[in-house]
Amino acid sequence: MPYRWAIMGLVFLLAAPASAKDIALSFDTSSTVVTQHTLFENTSKTPITGNLSFVPKPLPKPTEASPAPVTHVILHTLEALFHGGSESLVARAVGSAEGTRTADGGYTAAYYGHVDPGNHKWNLGSFSYQHGANSPAEADTKQLKRLYQQVLTLRQQASQHQIKLSLAEELNGIDLANQAPLAALDRGYIDWLTLAQQQPMSEPERIIWARTRAFLDPDSGRWNAPGLGNTLNSIRWDQARRQQAVQQAIDASATSKGP
């Protein structure tokens, strides 16, 4: 009898469950968030809650390509665009669109100061700067620093879309940032330009198309350019005028450099 009880005790020990501390359980109920985005609506987030899973998430494959660096989608350098300060291609191109500079870099009367026809503020310099400056030269210096940072944002957006920006496309983005920062940086100039590059459009056509549609309010889908008339025709006319002025500055710069 003692032998039989010893055998039964051994069987009981072998069949007993393991201690809870020896079992790794996962109670992770974190949900997956899917983000949807359209050009006319706010970004919306819809939570999707899945069942419990004891399967570990796979690690990224080493061979997966990482996002292309910004320098891989740009055909020209920032140094070339901003070299020379008030005599830079950026100052001449935007100034040409603003009416403060001639296409070949000359200075108009508006460069030395004029009243903004929209908000009636005093403008100075190539970029019609109105945020406080003692001279046109100081106004140019301040706005060049601001535009330099803004073009970095444009380039990052282009990198994310994996598109290449031509010289004209980028300078028009810079000019749009000078005219209406929201339209250029937050309202979708690069988004619209990405779509335009997929269509059978010429370069001037896609620039004007993207510049114009950047004034669509993504929240309401309506035009948001009261200073430009808030109609498709009036906004497009203004953007086509500015695109042509920017292109004239590009052509004049190329001519001055020679073959």
Side-chain angles (χ1 to χ4, degrees), residues 216-228:
L216 281 170
D217 190 319
D219 299 326
S220 66
R222 298 180 180 180
W223 298 110
N224 186 18
L228 301 179

Side-chain angles (χ1 to χ4, degrees), residues 27-56:
F27 295 95
D28 182 12
T29 59
S30 60
S31 60
T32 302
V33 176
V34 177
T35 302
Q36 297 176 337
H37 174 68
T38 67
L39 294 172
F40 301 99
E41 299 178 356
N42 277 331
T43 300
S44 61
K45 295 183 178 180
T46 305
I48 301 176
T49 305
N51 296 326
L52 292 176
S53 174
F54 296 94
V55 180

Side-chain angles (χ1 to χ4, degrees), residues 144-234:
L144 281 166
K145 290 180 179 179
R146 184 179 183 183
L147 290 175
Y148 190 94
Q149 296 302 316
Q150 290 174 334
V151 75
L152 292 176
T153 299
L154 289 173
R155 289 190 170 200
Q156 183 60 43
Q157 291 174 356
S159 177
Q160 292 170 351
H161 283 282
Q162 297 185 352
I163 65 171
K164 292 182 179 181
L165 295 177
S166 68
L167 177 61
E169 288 170 339
E170 183 163 52
L171 282 174
N172 273 274
I174 295 172
D175 177 57
L176 185 58
N178 185 78
Q179 180 189 21
L182 281 178
L185 306 173
D186 298 331
R187 297 299 171 88
Y189 172 69
I190 296 296
D191 292 332
W192 289 111
L193 193 60
T194 301
L195 294 176
Q197 287 189 1
Q198 300 170 13
Q199 306 301 320
M201 297 181 181
S202 65
E203 181 178 75
E205 288 174 338
R206 65 175 175 259
I207 289 173
I208 296 170
W209 191 82
R211 287 189 62 142
T212 300
R213 278 152 184 80
F215 284 94
L216 281 170
D217 190 319
D219 299 326
S220 66
R222 298 180 180 180
W223 298 110
N224 186 18
L228 301 179
N230 258 356
T231 67
L232 172 60
N233 289 337
S234 62

